[in-house]
Amino acid sequence: MVAQLSTIHYPESDGKPMADNTKQFRWILVIEQNLDWLYAQDPQVFVAGDLFWYPVEGRSNIVTAPDVLVVFGRLKGDRGSYKQWEEENVAPQVVFEILSPSNNKTEMDKKLLFYDRYGVMEYYIYDPDRDQLEGWLKGESGSLESIPEMYAWVSPRLGIRFDQSEEELKIYRPDGTPFHSYNEINILLGQERQRVETEKQRAEFEKQRAEFEKQRADDMEALLNQYRAQFGDLNPS
């Protein structure tokens, strides 16, 4: 049985693009990048976009690729796909889907059933063309239940807030700062990298300065010892 399972191929791509249009692509990147940034300091939170998720070993036909998934309790790192049995059987707790005109109700109903069956705790769908947000939350019944009111909804697991009071959805971090656009994130990350590099250079300069001061002190001490050897103590009591 083990040998048979080892021969099963789990594709890492279906050959289709991540998104059907620029708007969908932009929203996938915004959510994935901001969540990845939100948990950048926590090595036990894995965030990915458009990654194949296989929940059942030996069943390569049971698969989906959420636009964004978040898994608490799993290490960050590169993966070709998310094989749940290789991840201590931890299912993604939160998933996002960004709609495009090609998505239909039957397809999205199947995704809801998939996420409900395989352990997702929170599921969000955003339609950027209609600015419509829907959400489901694992209820006491053990199933995903529709969230009746998404206005100013706060994700129980992520702590992020969804605001639909303007023309386009706004998402806010737990500290109240808004999610940034992809370009803004690149700028901020560039600034952060520059700050880290500046701090690194400053630390290196301070290290070199300290080494120079120590060497100068050692040289002065050596010179003073040389004078003492030649002339004796210059300041006898």
Side-chain angles (χ1 to χ4, degrees):
M1 183 63 176
V2 174
Q4 183 179 359
L5 289 177
S6 65
T7 63
I8 295 175
H9 176 59
Y10 299 92
E12 296 180 355
S13 172
D14 57 7
K16 298 178 181 179
M18 179 188 296
D20 293 341
N21 55 55
T22 56
K23 186 181 293 186
Q24 184 190 27
F25 182 71
R26 173 170 59 84
W27 270 103
I28 292 172
L29 287 179
V30 164
I31 293 175
E32 192 274 334
Q33 290 287 303
N34 277 275
L35 290 177
D36 197 37
W37 193 15
L38 178 62
Y39 293 103
Q41 303 305 315
D42 190 337
Q44 289 286 335
V45 180
F46 174 64
V47 180
D50 195 41
L51 185 71
F52 273 25
W53 165 26
Y54 294 96
V56 182
E57 185 176 10
R59 298 292 301 277
S60 60
N61 62 316
I62 301 178
V63 60
T64 193
D67 285 334
V68 180
L69 61 81
V70 184
V71 192
F72 291 86
R74 301 309 302 151
L75 286 172
K76 298 183 188 304
D78 294 328
R79 292 164 172 81
S81 62
Y82 190 84
K83 300 184 181 79
Q84 190 169 313
W85 59 93
E86 295 181 354
E87 306 284 353
E88 298 186 2
N89 208 36
V90 178
Q93 292 93 353
V94 186
V95 298
F96 294 81
E97 295 287 355
I98 308 300
L99 295 185
S100 70
S102 67
N103 295 125
N104 57 62
K105 186 177 186 304
T106 299
E107 176 189 2
M108 301 316 295
D109 286 345
K110 288 181 179 179
K111 282 182 175 287
L112 175 59
L113 288 173
F114 187 101
Y115 297 144
D116 183 41
R117 178 174 298 172
Y118 295 110
V120 169
M121 307 298 291
E122 296 180 41
Y123 173 34
Y124 300 100
I125 297 177
Y126 180 56
D127 183 345
D129 288 330
R130 297 180 175 85
D131 191 31
Q132 292 181 350
L133 177 68
E134 296 180 90
W136 289 263
L137 185 67
K138 185 76 75 177
E140 294 181 359
S141 65
S143 298
L144 286 171
E145 300 176 0
S146 177
I147 301 169
E149 180 54 69
M150 290 299 298
Y151 183 81
W153 172 259
V154 177
S155 160
R157 196 62 192 263
L158 304 176
I160 61 176
R161 178 170 59 87
F162 302 93
D163 180 6
Q164 291 184 280
S165 63
E166 300 183 29
E167 293 183 358
E168 188 176 55
L169 174 68
K170 300 291 185 183
I171 307 177
Y172 294 88
R173 295 161 59 101
D175 63 3
T177 58
F179 272 25
H180 295 285
S181 71
Y182 181 67
N183 288 335
E184 289 172 338
I185 289 174
N186 281 334
I187 292 173
L188 291 170
L189 288 177
Q191 292 174 344
E192 179 64 16
R193 284 192 291 268
Q194 183 61 46
R195 186 191 66 79
V196 170
E197 182 61 28
T198 300
E199 288 296 319
K200 180 180 177 181
Q201 292 176 355
R202 186 189 63 79
E204 182 63 27
F205 173 77
E206 290 296 329
K207 177 183 177 182
Q208 293 177 356
R209 188 172 68 85
E211 291 175 349
F212 174 78
E213 292 294 337
K214 182 178 183 302
Q215 184 61 51
R216 187 173 68 168
D218 290 344
D219 291 344
M220 290 295 293
E221 181 68 22
L223 183 60
L224 182 59
N225 288 336
Q226 182 180 354
Y227 282 159
R228 285 172 177 166
Q230 292 180 356
F231 306 110
D233 193 345
L234 299 178
N235 296 297
S237 56

